[in-house]
Amino acid sequence: MASKARAFQQACRIRSGQAGTLSCASRDFAFSGSTSYTTPIQILAPRSPRQCTSCRHASTSSSSGPTPTSSRRAITVTSDDGRYNWADLSTGEKAARGTQQTFNFLLVAAGLVGTITISYLLYTELFAPESSTIQFNAAVNRIKASPECRALLGPSSQIKAYGEPTSNKWARARPLAHSTETDKFGTTHLRMHFNVEGPEGMGVVSVHMIKPREGDRLEYQLLSLTVKGHETVYLENKDAERGVKGKVGKMFGVQWR
């Protein structure tokens, strides 16, 4: 029995020196010198380092701190949002960003050109002094203000003016027949005709305006109203006026004033 006790003590000293931890539980251990003992000795072996792999990994992770991830999603033409610097991009990513920026520039340039074109057309057709719309409204106002024209058409508040009729019965806007040309002397000619209608009748208005090369505005050469069954009413007729003055003031090749 004494030899067993010494072997036990030696084993405890060896285990405590190797692992540093030893848990021994014994109950009612006594050296009475008898050949038997009441409670067996239980020796708890220390935990092997392999059994604490998760704990060692956790402690290693906590001590080392978070490691930054060097991987990121590659950018493309559609996914590039500009969050990465140019120096951090690869050759393919730089090409993708260049393609995207080129497309955006072309899109903005096309929108700018379209805006300028539409603005120019609106100005020339609606707001410019030489636009057909401005001259159409001015001619209609003169027709309504003329007593001769009101006698043929009716009250000015009931006179309607419109362009050429179309085959489409659903079309609300009728095109205005007009043309603009410049002759060899640099004179601009605007010719236009449209329809007028009132409770007393309907007719056609003819307009001819010119602007000399050095001029700054259009001037009437002809403004007339033709109603079927009545004589043509001339509000402006510069050609006829010049013709009459020429016949009256010229005789035998000598112009008399």
Side-chain angles (χ1 to χ4, degrees), residues 45-113:
R47 184 180 296 274
S48 174
R50 294 183 179 180
Q51 298 177 359
C52 297
T53 305
S54 59
C55 298
R56 187 173 66 253
H57 177 72
S59 62
T60 304
S61 301
S62 61
S63 61
S64 60
T67 58
T69 57
S70 60
S71 62
R72 60 175 176 81
R73 186 178 63 179
I75 65 173
T76 61
V77 176
T78 57
S79 65
D80 183 20
D81 53 3
R83 70 175 65 182
Y84 302 116
N85 296 328
W86 179 264
D88 299 335
L89 303 181
S90 63
T91 303
E93 291 174 336
K94 290 180 179 179
R97 176 169 292 182
T99 302
Q100 183 192 64
Q101 293 179 351
T102 302
F103 175 78
N104 293 339
F105 173 77
L106 293 177
L107 187 62
V108 172
L112 183 61
V113 171

Side-chain angles (χ1 to χ4, degrees), residues 121-140:
L121 293 177
L122 287 176
Y123 174 76
T124 55
E125 292 295 330
L126 299 178
F127 304 107
E130 301 177 5
S131 67
S132 58
T133 302
I134 295 294
Q135 300 304 329
F136 167 77
N137 293 330
V140 171

Side-chain angles (χ1 to χ4, degrees), residues 22-225:
L22 179 63
S23 176
C24 300
S26 62
R27 290 182 303 177
D28 301 332
F29 183 83
F31 298 95
S32 60
S34 60
T35 59
S36 63
Y37 52 89
T38 57
T39 304
I41 299 174
Q42 182 179 6
I43 301 174
L44 299 178
R47 184 180 296 274
S48 174
R50 294 183 179 180
Q51 298 177 359
C52 297
T53 305
S54 59
C55 298
R56 187 173 66 253
H57 177 72
S59 62
T60 304
S61 301
S62 61
S63 61
S64 60
T67 58
T69 57
S70 60
S71 62
R72 60 175 176 81
R73 186 178 63 179
I75 65 173
T76 61
V77 176
T78 57
S79 65
D80 183 20
D81 53 3
R83 70 175 65 182
Y84 302 116
N85 296 328
W86 179 264
D88 299 335
L89 303 181
S90 63
T91 303
E93 291 174 336
K94 290 180 179 179
R97 176 169 292 182
T99 302
Q100 183 192 64
Q101 293 179 351
T102 302
F103 175 78
N104 293 339
F105 173 77
L106 293 177
L107 187 62
V108 172
L112 183 61
V113 171
T115 302
I116 294 175
T117 303
I118 293 175
S119 301
Y120 174 77
L121 293 177
L122 287 176
Y123 174 76
T124 55
E125 292 295 330
L126 299 178
F127 304 107
E130 301 177 5
S131 67
S132 58
T133 302
I134 295 294
Q135 300 304 329
F136 167 77
N137 293 330
V140 171
N141 292 334
R142 291 198 60 176
I143 294 295
K144 292 181 178 181
S146 172
E148 295 85 354
C149 296
R150 291 200 302 268
L152 298 177
L153 301 175
S156 59
S157 59
Q158 301 182 20
I159 296 176
K160 299 183 296 182
Y162 49 88
E164 296 299 312
T166 60
S167 58
N168 186 4
K169 64 179 180 179
W170 301 105
R172 297 176 60 88
R174 298 183 180 183
L176 181 64
H178 70 283
S179 63
T180 303
E181 60 182 1
T182 303
D183 59 18
K184 61 181 180 180
F185 302 105
T187 303
T188 302
H189 296 263
L190 171 64
R191 292 180 173 86
M192 171 174 53
H193 68 271
F194 55 89
N195 301 292
V196 289
E197 181 178 356
E200 301 297 333
M202 58 185 303
V204 177
V205 177
S206 299
V207 179
H208 178 205
M209 306 182 73
I210 64 171
K211 185 181 77 170
R213 178 183 297 179
E214 295 81 8
D216 56 350
R217 63 186 181 88
L218 290 169
E219 299 177 354
Y220 280 102
Q221 292 295 111
L222 175 66
L223 176 60
S224 64
L225 169 64

